[in-house]
Coordinates of all heavy atoms in Angstrom, one line a residue:
Y6 N 36.8 94.4 -69.9 CA 35.9 94.5 -71.1 C 34.8 95.5 -70.8 O 34.3 95.6 -69.8 CB 35.3 93.1 -71.4 CG 36.3 92.1 -71.7 CD1 37.0 91.4 -70.7 CD2 36.8 91.9 -73.0 CE1 37.9 90.4 -71.0 CE2 37.7 91.0 -73.3 CZ 38.3 90.2 -72.2 OH 39.3 89.4 -72.5
Y7 N 34.6 96.3 -71.8 CA 33.6 97.4 -71.7 C 32.4 97.2 -72.6 O 32.6 96.6 -73.7 CB 34.2 98.7 -72.0 CG 35.2 99.1 -71.0 CD1 36.6 98.8 -71.2 CD2 34.9 99.8 -69.8 CE1 37.5 99.1 -70.3 CE2 35.9 100.1 -68.9 CZ 37.2 99.8 -69.1 OH 38.1 100.1 -68.2
N8 N 31.3 97.5 -72.2 CA 30.0 97.3 -72.9 C 29.7 98.6 -73.8 O 28.9 99.4 -73.4 CB 28.9 97.0 -72.0 CG 27.6 96.6 -72.6 OD1 27.6 96.5 -73.9 ND2 26.6 96.3 -71.9
G9 N 30.3 98.7 -74.9 CA 30.0 99.8 -75.8 C 30.1 101.2 -75.2 O 31.1 101.5 -74.6
I15 N 32.9 94.7 -67.8 CA 32.2 93.5 -68.0 C 32.9 92.4 -67.2 O 32.2 91.7 -66.5 CB 32.0 93.2 -69.5 CG1 31.1 94.2 -70.2 CG2 31.5 91.8 -69.7 CD1 31.0 94.1 -71.6
M16 N 34.1 92.2 -67.4 CA 34.8 91.1 -66.8 C 36.2 91.4 -66.7 O 36.8 92.0 -67.6 CB 34.6 89.8 -67.6 CG 35.4 88.7 -67.1 SD 34.5 87.2 -66.6 CE 32.9 87.2 -67.3
R37 N 19.2 77.9 -65.2 CA 20.2 77.3 -66.1 C 21.6 77.9 -65.8 O 21.7 79.0 -65.2 CB 19.8 77.6 -67.5 CG 19.8 79.0 -67.9 CD 19.3 79.2 -69.3 NE 19.2 80.6 -69.6 CZ 19.3 81.2 -70.8 NH1 19.4 80.4 -71.9 NH2 19.1 82.5 -71.0
M39 N 24.7 80.1 -66.8 CA 24.9 81.2 -67.6 C 26.0 82.1 -67.1 O 26.0 82.4 -65.9 CB 23.7 82.0 -67.9 CG 23.8 83.2 -68.9 SD 22.4 84.1 -69.2 CE 21.5 83.0 -70.1
L40 N 26.9 82.5 -68.0 CA 27.9 83.5 -67.5 C 27.5 84.9 -68.2 O 27.4 85.0 -69.4 CB 29.3 83.1 -68.1 CG 30.5 84.1 -67.9 CD1 30.7 84.3 -66.4 CD2 31.7 83.6 -68.6
H41 N 27.3 85.8 -67.3 CA 26.8 87.2 -67.8 C 28.0 88.1 -68.1 O 29.1 87.9 -67.6 CB 25.9 87.8 -66.8 CG 24.6 87.1 -66.6 ND1 23.5 87.5 -67.4 CD2 24.2 86.1 -65.8 CE1 22.5 86.7 -67.0 NE2 22.9 85.9 -66.1
R42 N 27.7 89.2 -68.8 CA 28.8 90.1 -69.2 C 29.3 90.8 -68.0 O 30.5 91.3 -68.1 CB 28.2 91.1 -70.2 CG 27.7 90.5 -71.5 CD 27.1 91.6 -72.4 NE 26.5 91.0 -73.5 CZ 27.2 90.8 -74.7 NH1 28.5 91.1 -74.7 NH2 26.6 90.3 -75.7
D43 N 28.7 90.9 -66.9 CA 29.2 91.7 -65.8 C 29.9 90.8 -64.7 O 30.2 91.2 -63.7 CB 28.1 92.5 -65.1 CG 26.9 91.6 -64.6 OD1 27.0 90.4 -64.8 OD2 26.0 92.2 -64.0
L68 N 33.0 75.6 -71.4 CA 32.7 76.8 -72.1 C 34.0 77.3 -72.8 O 34.1 77.8 -73.9 CB 32.2 77.9 -71.2 CG 31.8 79.2 -71.7 CD1 30.7 79.1 -72.7 CD2 31.4 80.2 -70.6
F69 N 35.2 77.2 -72.0 CA 36.4 77.8 -72.5 C 37.4 76.7 -73.0 O 38.4 77.0 -73.5 CB 37.1 78.6 -71.4 CG 36.4 79.8 -71.1 CD1 35.6 80.0 -69.9 CD2 36.4 80.9 -71.9 CE1 34.9 81.2 -69.6 CE2 35.8 82.1 -71.6 CZ 35.0 82.2 -70.5
E95 N 43.0 84.0 -76.2 CA 42.0 82.9 -76.4 C 40.8 83.2 -75.5 O 39.7 82.9 -75.9 CB 42.7 81.6 -76.0 CG 43.8 81.1 -76.9 CD 44.4 79.9 -76.4 OE1 44.9 79.9 -75.2 OE2 44.4 78.8 -77.1
F96 N 41.1 83.6 -74.3 CA 40.0 83.9 -73.3 C 39.0 85.0 -74.0 O 37.8 84.8 -73.9 CB 40.5 84.4 -72.1 CG 39.5 84.9 -71.1 CD1 38.6 84.1 -70.4 CD2 39.3 86.3 -70.9 CE1 37.6 84.5 -69.6 CE2 38.3 86.8 -70.0 CZ 37.5 85.9 -69.4
R97 N 39.6 86.1 -74.5 CA 38.8 87.1 -75.1 C 37.9 86.6 -76.2 O 36.7 86.9 -76.3 CB 39.7 88.2 -75.6 CG 40.3 89.1 -74.6 CD 41.0 90.2 -75.4 NE 41.9 90.9 -74.4 CZ 43.1 91.3 -74.8 NH1 43.6 91.2 -76.0 NH2 43.9 92.0 -73.9
E98 N 38.6 85.8 -77.1 CA 37.9 85.2 -78.2 C 36.7 84.3 -77.8 O 35.6 84.5 -78.3 CB 38.9 84.4 -79.1 CG 38.2 83.9 -80.3 CD 39.2 83.1 -81.2 OE1 40.4 83.5 -81.3 OE2 38.8 82.0 -81.7
R99 N 37.0 83.4 -76.9 CA 36.0 82.5 -76.4 C 34.9 83.2 -75.6 O 33.7 82.8 -75.7 CB 36.6 81.4 -75.7 CG 37.4 80.5 -76.6 CD 38.1 79.4 -75.8 NE 39.1 78.7 -76.6 CZ 39.8 77.8 -76.2 NH1 39.8 77.4 -75.0 NH2 40.7 77.1 -77.1
L100 N 35.2 84.2 -74.9 CA 34.3 84.9 -74.1 C 33.3 85.7 -75.1 O 32.1 85.7 -74.9 CB 34.9 86.0 -73.2 CG 34.0 86.8 -72.4 CD1 33.3 86.0 -71.3 CD2 34.8 88.0 -71.6
N101 N 33.9 86.4 -76.1 CA 33.0 87.1 -77.1 C 32.1 86.1 -77.8 O 31.0 86.4 -78.0 CB 33.9 87.8 -78.0 CG 34.5 89.0 -77.4 OD1 34.0 89.6 -76.4 ND2 35.7 89.4 -77.9
I102 N 32.6 84.9 -78.2 CA 31.7 84.0 -78.9 C 30.6 83.5 -77.9 O 29.5 83.4 -78.3 CB 32.6 82.8 -79.4 CG1 33.5 83.2 -80.5 CG2 31.7 81.6 -79.8 CD1 34.5 82.2 -80.9
S103 N 30.9 83.2 -76.7 CA 29.9 82.6 -75.8 C 28.9 83.7 -75.4 O 27.7 83.4 -75.3 CB 30.6 82.0 -74.5 OG 31.2 83.0 -73.7
L104 N 29.3 85.0 -75.3 CA 28.4 86.0 -74.9 C 27.5 86.4 -76.0 O 26.4 86.8 -75.9 CB 29.2 87.3 -74.3 CG 29.9 87.1 -73.1 CD1 30.6 88.4 -72.7 CD2 28.9 86.7 -72.0
D105 N 28.0 86.2 -77.3 CA 27.2 86.4 -78.4 C 26.1 85.5 -78.5 O 25.0 85.8 -79.1 CB 28.0 86.4 -79.8 CG 28.9 87.6 -79.9 OD1 28.6 88.6 -79.2 OD2 29.9 87.6 -80.7
K106 N 26.2 84.3 -78.0 CA 25.2 83.2 -78.0 C 24.1 83.6 -77.0 O 22.9 83.1 -77.2 CB 25.8 81.8 -77.7 CG 26.7 81.3 -78.7 CD 27.2 80.0 -78.3 CE 28.2 79.5 -79.3 NZ 28.8 78.2 -78.9
N107 N 24.3 84.3 -76.0 CA 23.3 84.7 -74.9 C 22.4 85.7 -75.4 O 22.4 86.6 -75.9 CB 24.0 85.1 -73.6 CG 24.8 83.9 -73.0 OD1 24.4 82.7 -73.3 ND2 25.8 84.2 -72.2

Side-chain angles (χ1 to χ4, degrees):
Y6 296 89
Y7 294 92
N8 187 3
I15 294 175
M16 175 124 13
R37 65 181 176 159
M39 183 181 286
L40 177 63
H41 290 272
R42 295 178 188 273
D43 60 0
L68 182 65
F69 290 105
E95 292 174 305
F96 171 76
R97 284 185 196 145
E98 181 181 321
R99 293 177 188 177
L100 179 68
N101 289 334
I102 290 170
S103 69
L104 290 179
D105 287 342
K106 291 179 184 176
N107 293 335

